Amino acid sequence: PAPTPAPAIMAAAPSAAFVAFAECISGGVGGWFSSFVLFPLDVVKTRMQAGEEGSALEVGWRLYQKSGATGLWKGGNARGLQSLIEKVGYFYAYALMQTLIERRRGPMGVGLQLVVGYFANWVHMPVSMPFDTVVIRMTTTGRSLGSVLAEANSRPFRDLCARDRPPPPRAP
């Protein structure tokens, strides 16, 4: 007798939750990778904004001569983490809001997609903005992550931040 063919295994379509998770992770990893690769440009830009004289090439070359290749990536780990958090937060918030809205109203139009994208971008801000401060301190001072975090936890740093805040509005 002829052998019986094995039944074909049908792959199930991935769930919407899995697709959203995959989009979040791919966006986060893509953000981390691109910020890591382009980080030396960010370091040079930040140093120039902080007042270092010369062209971008001159600033980058001086930093390379002083600190080697690692100087061009000082702070890159924090910037990569910041980018990962931003992208995952944005994708997840957008997917969640889109799902909730489409359950109630149906497919979103372009205008509503723009509004949802705008609000989704706010989600990561409270978490990612402190990373930006740390990265800027690392790139302008050349100090390590631990050193910058220790300073951020000190009373003089908190006092300095309080001094930099604008005064509260006065009552008429």
Side-chain angles (χ1 to χ4, degrees):
T4 310
I9 298 175
M10 299 289 284
S15 68
F18 178 78
V19 170
F21 176 75
E23 288 173 350
C24 290
I25 297 302
S26 65
V29 171
W32 172 84
F33 181 76
S34 64
S35 66
F36 178 77
V37 169
L38 298 174
F39 192 71
L41 295 175
D42 193 37
V43 170
V44 169
K45 174 199 66 142
T46 302
R47 285 179 165 261
M48 291 176 74
Q49 287 173 334
E52 194 164 329
E53 298 291 325
S55 69
L57 287 175
E58 291 168 339
V59 170
W61 181 247
R62 278 195 305 268
L63 180 60
Y64 177 78
Q65 287 178 320
K66 178 182 174 191
S67 305
T70 57
L72 294 170
W73 272 276
K74 189 159 222 95
N77 53 352
R79 175 69 79 209
L81 184 58
Q82 174 194 7
S83 184
L84 182 101
I85 290 168
E86 285 177 358
K87 304 312 183 259
V88 168
Y90 175 84
F91 277 99
Y92 185 74
Y94 187 92
L96 180 65
M97 287 188 272
Q98 179 184 26
T99 300
L100 294 173
I101 290 169
E102 288 183 346
R103 281 185 187 163
R104 296 191 98 200
R105 301 187 54 192
M108 297 190 310
V110 172
L112 188 53
Q113 288 176 0
L114 290 170
V115 170
V116 168
Y118 180 71
F119 283 108
N121 201 43
W122 284 2
V123 170
H124 68 80
M125 292 297 217
V127 178
S128 65
M129 285 180 74
F131 281 100
D132 194 44
T133 302
V134 167
V135 169
I136 289 171
R137 291 231 181 236
M138 288 175 74
T139 58
T140 56
T141 64
R143 294 193 345 244
S144 69
L145 177 61
S147 170
V148 171
L149 292 176
E151 176 195 35
N153 205 22
S154 70
R155 182 164 175 76
F157 180 78
R158 288 193 303 268
D159 292 345
L160 176 67
C161 291
R163 233 186 11 241
D164 287 345
R165 273 190 225 122
R170 294 182 183 197

